[in-house]
Amino acid sequence: MLQAEENGLVEKCRDVGATWVSCAFSVWLWLFMRGAAIGWGSRKEALIDRIDDPDSIFEKMRRLIRSLPQEFLPAGFDPAANMAYMRIVNPENDATITGEAGDNIGRGGRKLIYFKDESAHYERPEKIEAALADNTRVQIDISSVNGVGNVFHRRREAGEEWLGGAATKNVTNIFVFDWSDHPEKTQDWYDMRRRKAADDGLLHLFAQEVDRNYAASVVGSIIPVEWIKSAVDAHIVLEFVPSDN
């Protein structure tokens, strides 16, 4: 997406490590691309950065940088000075990683690439889209699903699934990160989690968070979305021939 200057979207199951992977790529850009300006946004400031909290995005990146061999660190790098709150600076090549939260996402100047974490859960996503439109040519939305009709869902529906290779031009490229892609999540894990969710009366939340079912949280549905999907092209399977009447 970066070389093609196209937007991307990661539709993910909860707890598969998509944010960690994106943080690692951000650190790689910070290390090796001179002058790279990488942006990160989330709905709350505490999710972007909270010192010593590995659940926050910038603490993930600090831990990745601290784990690097000394010879890989930039010349003149000072952890105390160069890894400040919501800002990581490479003194050798002037690359930066900066963070923003809430409605302020996209207000911090031009970026080479901008990651929006859990973007299906923003309160006022249209305001953020307006700001980011002039901020970056490469916008990466990362999120678990959160119902239908929001900006994340609309972008996902209008996009095209990316299966590797060059990015498709002039369209959002979709990467699906399913629970089964995680090496530690087996079919037994899935069956156990699903059974517990059913016993607790929370199967709709399981469908949303694990199965990535956008309609699972929609209330007042008369026909479940699974029935609708299973009925698509049913006339072909049943070899239904319409009557002339």
Side-chain angles (χ1 to χ4, degrees):
M1 306 325 148
L2 184 58
Q3 290 181 336
E5 295 189 337
E6 296 294 338
N7 290 336
L9 181 148
V10 180
E11 177 191 276
K12 70 183 186 72
C13 161
R14 286 291 298 275
D15 192 34
V16 290
T19 302
W20 271 105
V21 172
S22 300
C23 284
F25 180 57
S26 297
V27 171
W28 183 87
L29 289 172
W30 175 83
L31 279 170
F32 299 113
M33 185 169 286
R34 179 168 297 279
I38 303 107
W40 272 90
S42 193
R43 66 185 187 277
K44 293 182 180 179
E45 196 167 301
L47 298 175
I48 288 290
D49 199 359
R50 188 157 54 188
I51 302 299
D52 294 330
D53 182 358
D55 288 335
S56 70
I57 291 165
F58 270 72
E59 192 60 28
K60 285 180 170 68
M61 289 188 282
R62 289 191 192 97
R63 294 191 177 201
L64 288 168
I65 293 170
R66 291 189 191 109
S67 69
L68 292 171
Q70 185 69 30
E71 54 269 25
F72 282 14
L73 294 174
F77 180 72
D78 179 356
N82 298 134
M83 292 199 296
Y85 183 69
M86 292 208 298
R87 184 174 178 83
I88 300 175
V89 178
N90 184 328
E92 184 177 7
N93 67 6
D94 295 324
T96 59
I97 307 173
T98 55
E100 298 166 313
D103 293 343
N104 290 321
I105 290 175
R107 300 293 179 186
R110 293 284 301 175
K111 296 291 185 290
L112 173 72
I113 186 170
Y114 204 105
F115 295 92
K116 292 163 57 192
D117 195 50
E118 290 297 346
S119 61
H121 300 266
Y122 294 159
E123 292 183 9
R124 289 173 287 274
E126 284 83 2
K127 292 186 67 174
I128 296 168
E129 295 301 322
L132 277 177
D134 296 322
N135 181 291
T136 182
R137 294 180 181 177
V138 184
Q139 177 178 323
I140 308 296
D141 289 89
I142 309 167
S143 190
S144 53
V145 307
N146 185 37
V148 300
N150 53 56
V151 171
F152 183 85
H153 176 249
R154 298 200 303 267
R155 178 166 284 149
R156 197 267 183 260
E157 290 296 295
E160 183 172 314
E161 193 164 332
W162 179 75
L163 301 175
T168 304
K169 298 293 293 182
N170 302 317
V171 68
T172 298
N173 287 257
I174 312 298
F175 178 73
V176 176
F177 205 158
D178 187 59
W179 66 268
S180 60
D181 296 322
H182 194 293
E184 294 184 353
K185 297 187 187 302
T186 63
Q187 188 63 47
D188 288 340
W189 171 89
Y190 177 89
D191 294 340
M192 181 183 67
R193 286 286 303 272
R194 192 180 193 283
R195 186 163 52 249
K196 186 178 187 307
D199 292 343
D200 293 343
L202 299 174
L203 198 55
H204 60 295
L205 294 181
F206 177 87
Q208 175 177 285
E209 301 295 337
V210 179
D211 290 335
R212 311 184 328 276
N213 186 333
Y214 287 88
S217 63
V218 177
V219 298
S221 297
I222 298 175
I223 303 175
V225 68
E226 292 83 3
W227 297 5
I228 298 173
K229 289 182 177 179
S230 65
V232 174
D233 292 333
H235 66 291
I236 298 174
V237 176
L238 298 174
E239 297 181 350
F240 174 74
V241 178
S243 65
D244 295 332
N245 295 331

